[in-house]
Amino acid sequence: MHSTARLMIAASAVLALSLAGCSASSPDADDSGDADPVRFAVEKPDSLVPANQFTSYNIVIAMFSPLTAIDDAGEITYVAAESVESDDAKLWTITLRDGWTFHDGTPVTAQDYVDTWNHAAYGPNAWVNGAQLAGVVGYADLNPAEGAEPTATELAGLTVVDDLTFTVELDAPDRQFPLQLTAGQTGLYPLPSEALADIAAWEEAPVGNGPFALVDGWSDTDPIEAVAYEDYAGTEPNIGAVTFVPYLDTATAYTDALAGEVDIVAIAGSQVAQARTDFGEHVYELDAPGVDFLGFDLTDPRFADPRIRQAISMAIDREAINDAIFGGSQVPATSLTAPSMPGDPEGVCGEYCEFDPEAAQALLEEAGGFDGELAVHYIANWGQDDLFEAIANQLRQNLGIESVVATPSVDFAAFVDSVGAHEVNGPFRARWGALYPSQQNTLTAVYTATGEGNFGSGGYSNPEVDALLAEANAADTFEKSSEGYVKVQERILQDFPTVPLFGNRYLYVTSDRISELYTVSGSVDLTKVVTASAAS
């Protein structure tokens, strides 16, 4: 259920890039700005254990620091790691920077990483982000088939060399591994040894290794206060304090932002036109690695012919929908990955992602036409009614299908059940937000049989795609690896299992207190927030 939720939810928790678009060039750390904390509207947090959180992402990435990052030029840089190196892309050596400590002052060691990763990967612990370690040798031993018992408690592929060095052996060569150590993969953050001894006690007042430290514990309903950690070994934050304010709905947070009671709020694409009126220059539209698309029940014979899916794609006017529904804030898709993703092959979808109703009708007729009702399935009460009504109307008008109906499920659980039970009689809403800035993540997650997001492609897989992915992963250089994913996209698009819709931009509104805003791995990068008083 967790991986399905990640596929479907378009919240800010999953996933923009540190190379995302921003309001200005990144500032140097200087004045901490206002004495009052920046107030950041967040989802109700579920857990502050990084490898076991799903809705606490914004808080966790402020409390913890990743091993690596991506700079504005798309190059790998290092945060808590001094280096991440490999001769064969299979055995990696990670060397930590000296001087890093947890918020309680204890040093961060290689043993902390190895112990935390073992705990996260151990199936019986059921930590929701444990699968982020699935590529490490021994993962299957800790996560056997259902009904079987684990044959090990530690990953065979992890070895501590010394206090600041450990090695990671992967099941197969993977040149993209350094990208998997960036901020989005919270399952790879370290915990201190006492946390693993009694995780429940530790979580009452958790400590991380990141730029902000909690002031006095936390609850899932009250504001959570954090201050800049004065002994942080990374880049000093621009602000001195932040208060995370849990909200159950964005409408209330939006209203509070208008009143100046909260400073940063994520909004939906459907809100952006009004937000531009209400907030003016305090609306931020930042590139993100998420993609929206339509999935199909590929076991339904009515959709077995790729030409049917291609016709549906060509019948959708993405530009018109983007302007009418999203105020032009999203990016009409021309590939299977987000346009902001390094190496994204813009235009690889070709004519099948271009609006051409005459060609769409001809292709549908060539494929034998379509009989019966065509339902377009989505989730009710997620603010998407206008979007799917528009898609249904365009398919009805542009394909000449008499009955095309936008069909909402009553809630998320019902939607998942209907798709999983092959009860949908038409295309359904799907999404993937990449956990790290590589085409690899989206292509593997959505278009391979064991991928976390395979639900969204209707269970699509192809041995040729698997082989091309393996070839790209094992390339001699990082650049050749990224180039290899273009071939993967080209092969998937021959089968056209999904209809690409939009590359995402994540949208925020801020109070007048905020002068500059940036994103990192799907959330606001609080270290780079600049207040108006600091900018003046």
Side-chain angles (χ1 to χ4, degrees), residues 2 6 50-53 57 117 120-121 127-136 139 155 170 177 180-189 435-436 441 452:
H2 167 65
R6 174 177 289 137
N52 200 32
Q53 68 78 31
Y57 184 79
W117 290 12
W127 281 10
V128 296
N129 296 314
Q132 292 169 11
L133 292 153
V136 179
Y139 183 82
L155 292 163
L170 305 179
F177 181 68
Q180 296 166 22
L181 306 176
T182 54
Q185 300 244 90
T186 63
L188 307 185
Y189 291 158
L435 297 178
Y436 53 92
N441 183 249
E452 286 187 274

Side-chain angles (χ1 to χ4, degrees), residues 210-451:
F212 293 92
L214 297 193
V215 172
D216 187 25
W218 68 288
S219 80
D220 61 1
T221 55
D222 298 323
I224 300 168
E225 297 181 4
V227 296
Y229 176 44
E230 62 181 25
D231 291 328
Y232 180 55
T235 302
E236 181 183 357
N238 291 322
I239 59 174
V242 58
T243 298
F244 300 99
V245 185
Y247 281 87
L248 294 177
D249 65 87
T250 58
T252 303
Y254 186 96
T255 301
D256 284 354
L258 277 173
E261 295 177 5
V262 67
D263 298 307
I264 304 171
V265 178
I267 63 171
S270 58
Q271 295 175 283
V272 72
Q274 183 61 46
R276 288 170 182 156
T277 298
D278 292 339
F279 289 90
E281 65 181 8
H282 291 281
V283 177
Y284 294 83
E285 304 174 24
L286 308 176
D287 289 339
V291 286
D292 295 311
F293 54 98
L294 295 177
F296 296 84
D297 180 358
L298 298 178
T299 68
D300 187 334
R302 298 185 305 163
F303 303 108
D305 192 324
R307 292 173 296 181
I308 299 292
R309 304 189 292 272
Q310 291 165 343
I312 288 173
S313 181
M314 297 173 75
I316 297 173
D317 188 342
R318 295 163 179 79
E319 293 282 358
I321 289 177
N322 188 34
D323 291 341
I325 307 298
F326 300 131
S329 65
Q330 303 304 295
V331 184
T334 64
S335 68
L336 298 175
T337 52
S340 61
M341 199 68 76
D344 172 68
E346 180 182 0
V348 70
C349 186
E351 62 181 324
Y352 298 121
C353 285
E354 297 175 2
F355 178 54
D356 190 338
E358 292 184 2
Q361 286 193 38
L363 195 59
L364 183 66
E365 184 177 350
E366 180 185 312
F370 189 89
D371 295 325
E373 181 179 272
L374 178 66
V376 184
H377 297 267
Y378 66 102
I379 307 163
N381 303 316
W382 277 26
Q384 297 180 326
D385 299 79
D386 289 347
L387 169 62
F388 286 94
E389 287 287 353
I391 290 175
N393 287 338
Q394 288 191 358
L395 295 180
R396 185 185 311 109
Q397 296 167 6
N398 298 327
L399 289 177
I401 299 175
E402 184 174 340
S403 180
V404 183
V405 182
T407 307
S409 297
V410 293
D411 55 27
F412 173 72
F415 177 87
V416 171
D417 289 344
S418 62
V419 172
H422 303 284
E423 294 173 352
V424 293
N425 58 340
F428 57 86
R429 187 262 181 182
R431 178 185 180 275
W432 182 256
L435 297 178
Y436 53 92
S438 171
Q439 295 177 64
Q440 178 196 58
N441 183 249
T442 300
L443 299 175
T444 302
V446 179
Y447 300 103
T448 66
T450 58

Side-chain angles (χ1 to χ4, degrees), residues 432-509:
W432 182 256
L435 297 178
Y436 53 92
S438 171
Q439 295 177 64
Q440 178 196 58
N441 183 249
T442 300
L443 299 175
T444 302
V446 179
Y447 300 103
T448 66
T450 58
E452 286 187 274
N454 195 233
F455 170 95
S457 65
Y460 169 83
S461 65
N462 184 314
E464 293 182 21
V465 170
D466 295 343
L468 287 170
L469 273 168
E471 181 180 335
N473 294 343
D476 292 338
T477 66
F478 182 82
E479 291 73 20
K480 289 182 180 179
S481 177
S482 296
E483 292 170 2
Y485 299 125
V486 177
K487 296 180 181 179
V488 175
Q489 294 212 37
E490 291 171 343
R491 182 60 190 87
I492 294 170
L493 286 166
Q494 291 178 26
D495 298 332
F496 215 83
T498 61
V499 170
L501 291 176
F502 299 101
N504 294 162
R505 287 196 181 107
Y506 290 152
L507 310 172
Y508 296 89
V509 295

